[in-house]
Amino acid sequence: MLIKRKSIEAQANTKAGPGPSAAKEKSKPKTGASTGTTRKPKFAPVTLSEQDGVRFLHFGTEWVQGAMRIRKPDWIELEYAQQMMSWMLFNDQPASIVQLGLGTGALTKFGYRQFPQAQVTAVELNPSVIAICNSMFKLPPEDARLNILEMDANDFIHDPKRISTIDALQVDLYDATARGPVLDTPEFYAACRDSLSEHGVMTVNLFGDHPSYAKNLKAMRYAFDQVISLPEVHDGNVVAIAFKNAVAPDFPALYERAAAITAATKLPAKSWVNGIKSNFQDESKKK
């Protein structure tokens, strides 16, 4: 079914979530080291749509799980996904970049191309997503720097081998119902924190005013020294930036760094700094 891009984004990012029927569904148990249980995954069908030169990934619904402009396969098409790269403001030479939830591979491809010194790892539970990224979204073949792991993100992040090894952690874990991240506990975010290097940064895709937003922020603030929310985009998506160790932003330096990022990548990095600055101003008013 071909759906207009505007229609897809409006429905895929609505603040109200996917509707009453999905909201009534019981949550499925989480898995991994923190729960001691094993999930038997049941995957929704992986489907595609295209409009105006953009290919979209879905899990059997109109909800968008990612996008790629066909003529610019390495470009990050969706604005929230661009914001997921806001950790670049704080680290321009990452040694390790990890993506939890592959989607269309947009962030994985970008990190792999943009940071040739970095080890890039993507973790995806659904083998069909990995297959379609290879066949339809131009994911580069694995090599010494690129690893695509078919496994549960919870198991990956709780592995003691991850402790203090990741410089940039990008978390975008949604299922077909898109009600909120499927991993959202304080224990999960504590494991994310522990996986980061001393100056490591995590970015997470959240749903604006949806109940999952407050739940995830509370869990992140339990685990991290500092959490900043960027302005909402796509009528719902909010990217949160979490710091293992709190930072005191030098805004002139951040704007200078943003200009360098934009010059090198064309990403709208100045808007990220504006969002961080606005967040700090709002927090100051509350005190």
Side-chain angles (χ1 to χ4, degrees), residues 65-257:
Q65 301 289 340
M68 179 188 75
R69 185 161 295 278
I70 296 169
R71 294 185 64 180
K72 299 171 68 176
D74 290 337
W75 171 246
I76 302 175
E77 181 66 21
L78 299 179
E79 187 176 3
Y80 92 83
Q82 294 174 359
Q83 289 186 342
M84 292 285 285
M85 298 300 302
S86 55
W87 58 262
M88 294 170 64
L89 292 167
F90 304 94
N91 189 342
D92 60 356
Q93 292 291 321
S96 174
I97 303 169
V98 171
Q99 173 71 28
L100 302 184
L102 181 61
T104 59
L107 297 176
T108 299
K109 289 187 294 183
F110 188 87
Y112 177 73
R113 306 289 191 202
Q114 192 64 36
F115 298 100
Q117 80 285 355
Q119 184 75 34
V120 179
T121 303
V123 181
E124 173 58 51
L125 186 62
N126 188 340
S128 296
V129 172
I130 297 173
I132 208 162
C133 277
N134 284 314
S135 63
M136 301 298 291
F137 290 97
K138 299 188 182 299
L139 188 66
E142 292 183 76
D143 59 19
R145 288 200 308 111
L146 177 62
N147 293 311
I148 310 299
L149 303 179
E150 182 189 326
M151 66 181 298
D152 192 300
N154 207 30
D155 294 339
F156 174 89
I157 211 65
H158 276 93
D159 189 331
K161 291 186 295 186
R162 314 296 172 205
I163 293 176
S164 300
T165 63
I166 301 171
D167 294 319
L169 178 62
Q170 301 159 159
V171 182
D172 193 1
L173 295 166
Y174 283 78
D175 61 13
T177 65
R179 288 170 294 164
V182 296
L183 295 175
D184 56 10
T185 64
E187 293 78 12
F188 168 71
Y189 285 121
C192 289
R193 175 204 62 212
D194 292 344
S195 76
L196 293 177
S197 58
E198 183 180 359
H199 300 293
V201 183
M202 176 182 74
T203 54
V204 185
N205 177 30
L206 300 175
F207 249 148
D209 292 334
H210 193 262
S212 63
Y213 177 68
K215 178 181 180 181
N216 278 270
L217 275 188
K218 183 177 180 181
M220 272 186 269
R221 286 172 175 156
Y222 163 83
F224 284 82
D225 273 2
Q226 186 176 45
V227 180
I228 297 169
S229 294
L230 293 179
E232 180 182 292
V233 295
H234 302 306
D235 296 325
N237 289 85
V238 174
V239 168
I241 312 171
F243 299 87
K244 184 170 186 175
N245 295 301
V247 298
D250 177 344
F251 285 107
L254 284 179
Y255 279 116
E256 185 176 337
R257 172 67 185 146

